Amino acid sequence: MDKTKIIDGKMVSELIKTKVAAEVIKIQKKHHRAPSLTIIQIGDNKASSTYIKNKKIACENVGIICNVLTYPVTMTEAELLNLINQLNHDSTIDAILVQLPLPIHINSEKIIHRIITKKDVDGFTPEILGNLILGHYDLLPGTPKGIMLLLRHYQIELAGQHVVIIGRSNIVGKPLANLLINASATVTVCHSKTKNLSFFTKQADILISAVGQPKIITSEMIKENAIIIDVGINRDHDNKLCGDVDFENVLPKVKMITPVPGGVGPMTIAALLENILYLYYQNNNL
Ligand code: GUN
């Protein structure tokens, strides 16, 4: 495999984690309290459990306290709103993360909006997303932030480049599109209702896929020398982790590409750790 083409999210995330860990040691010495994250999980979605486990391990490896509160799928919206009220007022908690997706009887938007902005580690509340559109980046949602950090690390030029994003979620596509516009890229956002997807993907200098379907992006759909960022975390026929992009198939044609695993995933977690640290400083007026 041509290693020079690989955008190594694992390696870049390790650099960030090392910095965060050093910062946490300093904080502990000076302020005698480690930063703390509380994660809420409702139900037992298998993918969510894996993501949460990874987040908890990452926190503990850098000295951040991570408490995971798990509730049965029968928890009501009112109970969850109540819980968030309590956590909002708990001064020992710097950051709150409600793992999505939530069960369908719970209105996710209502829940996210209940998290007090100064503890919104995901950056999903309206104030943070509004600031993002305006170019004020105090805190950014994890996956878009992780992708921007990765592009910056590899000094990938954005100004004037045509970036095509597949996916318009509030978590990835929408915030990412705005960050890239603010970085002077020309941005096209495709989604499930886009007609003739290939027409758009073939024009991309940088293609970012956040679809969630295994290996749907193939060599015929991309331009020669494109840069590919794969946000998908899927399972193939053999139950092996894979992205939205058919990695082996596109590799000869691309300029650079993120692997799955080891690309965007670890960067999302590194961005989360940075966000927890940021909230700790904010909440303690440091
Ligand atoms: N589910 C998938 N990605 C995310 C994320 O970044 N944050 C939360 N809270 N839930 C998710």
Side-chain angles (χ1 to χ4, degrees):
M1 190 200 299
D2 186 352
K3 285 240 163 78
T4 60
K5 289 188 174 187
I6 304 299
I7 300 176
D8 189 348
K10 178 107 181 53
M11 179 271 292
V12 180
S13 75
E14 292 301 334
L15 298 176
I16 295 171
K17 286 188 206 169
T18 304
K19 274 193 207 156
V20 172
E23 201 70 13
V24 172
I25 289 173
K26 265 201 262 170
I27 287 173
Q28 275 278 31
K29 271 200 189 133
K30 210 164 159 193
H31 306 289
H32 311 291
R33 179 173 84 76
S36 89
L37 166 71
T38 294
I39 300 179
I40 303 171
Q41 180 180 18
I42 315 294
D44 56 1
N45 180 301
K46 216 170 134 219
S48 290
S49 299
T50 306
Y51 297 146
I52 290 172
K53 195 180 83 192
N54 290 340
K55 288 171 188 176
K56 186 169 167 66
I57 291 170
C59 282
E60 289 172 352
N61 282 343
V62 298
I64 291 173
I65 298 162
C66 178
N67 292 309
V68 180
L69 307 178
T70 309
Y71 295 91
V73 73
T74 49
M75 185 180 210
T76 66
E77 186 177 281
E79 285 168 338
L80 182 52
L81 287 168
N82 245 329
L83 173 65
I84 294 171
N85 284 345
Q86 282 173 36
L87 301 177
N88 278 343
H89 288 106
D90 185 335
S91 62
T92 63
I93 294 170
D94 302 295
I96 302 170
L97 188 154
V98 179
Q99 188 66 29
L100 304 174
L102 288 170
I104 46 168
H105 66 272
I106 298 179
N107 179 335
S108 301
E109 196 165 306
K110 207 163 156 188
I111 297 302
I112 287 166
H113 290 194
R114 182 58 64 92
I115 299 169
I116 194 169
T117 302
K118 64 178 195 175
K119 297 193 181 190
D120 173 22
V121 75
D122 269 322
F124 293 163
T125 52
E127 188 179 331
I128 293 180
L129 287 177
N131 278 331
L132 183 156
I133 290 173
L134 297 171
H136 306 310
Y137 302 154
D138 294 334
L139 183 144
L140 295 174
T143 302
K145 175 174 172 169
I147 292 171
M148 295 304 282
L149 290 172
L150 208 47
L151 293 170
R152 193 192 308 156
H153 180 90
Y154 282 89
Q155 299 183 326
I156 293 169
E157 174 79 42
L158 294 173
Q161 298 297 295
H162 187 187
V163 184
V164 177
I165 302 171
I166 319 176
R168 56 173 160 178
S169 70
N170 292 339
I171 296 182
V172 182
K174 283 186 210 168
L176 192 54
N178 285 283
L179 290 171
L180 291 162
I181 291 167
N182 292 345
S184 301
T186 302
V187 180
T188 300
V189 180
C190 301
H191 46 77
S192 53
K193 295 283 191 291
T194 298
K195 291 179 185 149
N196 196 358
L197 181 65
S198 289
F199 170 81
F200 297 99
T201 56
K202 274 183 199 158
Q203 295 178 42
D205 298 312
I206 302 172
L207 178 65
I208 304 179
S209 182
V211 177
Q213 286 179 36
K215 302 186 184 179
I216 58 152
I217 307 295
T218 54
S219 166
E220 310 80 67
M221 296 173 72
I222 64 168
K223 186 161 89 172
E224 191 82 40
N225 268 330
I227 293 172
I228 312 283
I229 306 292
D230 191 346
V231 186
I233 302 177
N234 315 300
R235 298 266 168 192
D236 68 10
H237 294 308
D238 304 324
N239 205 31
K240 212 172 132 227
L241 270 189
C242 70
D244 294 345
V245 180
D246 190 340
F247 185 87
E248 304 296 341
N249 177 257
V250 304
L251 191 62
K253 200 171 176 182
V254 302
K255 185 171 179 191
M256 297 185 91
I257 183 167
T258 59
V260 177
V264 173
M267 289 303 294
T268 298
I269 292 191
L272 171 73
L273 300 178
E274 279 198 351
N275 282 353
I276 297 166
L277 213 49
Y278 173 81
L279 293 178
Y280 177 92
Y281 286 131
Q282 287 292 104
N283 291 335
N284 292 283
N285 299 316
L286 299 173

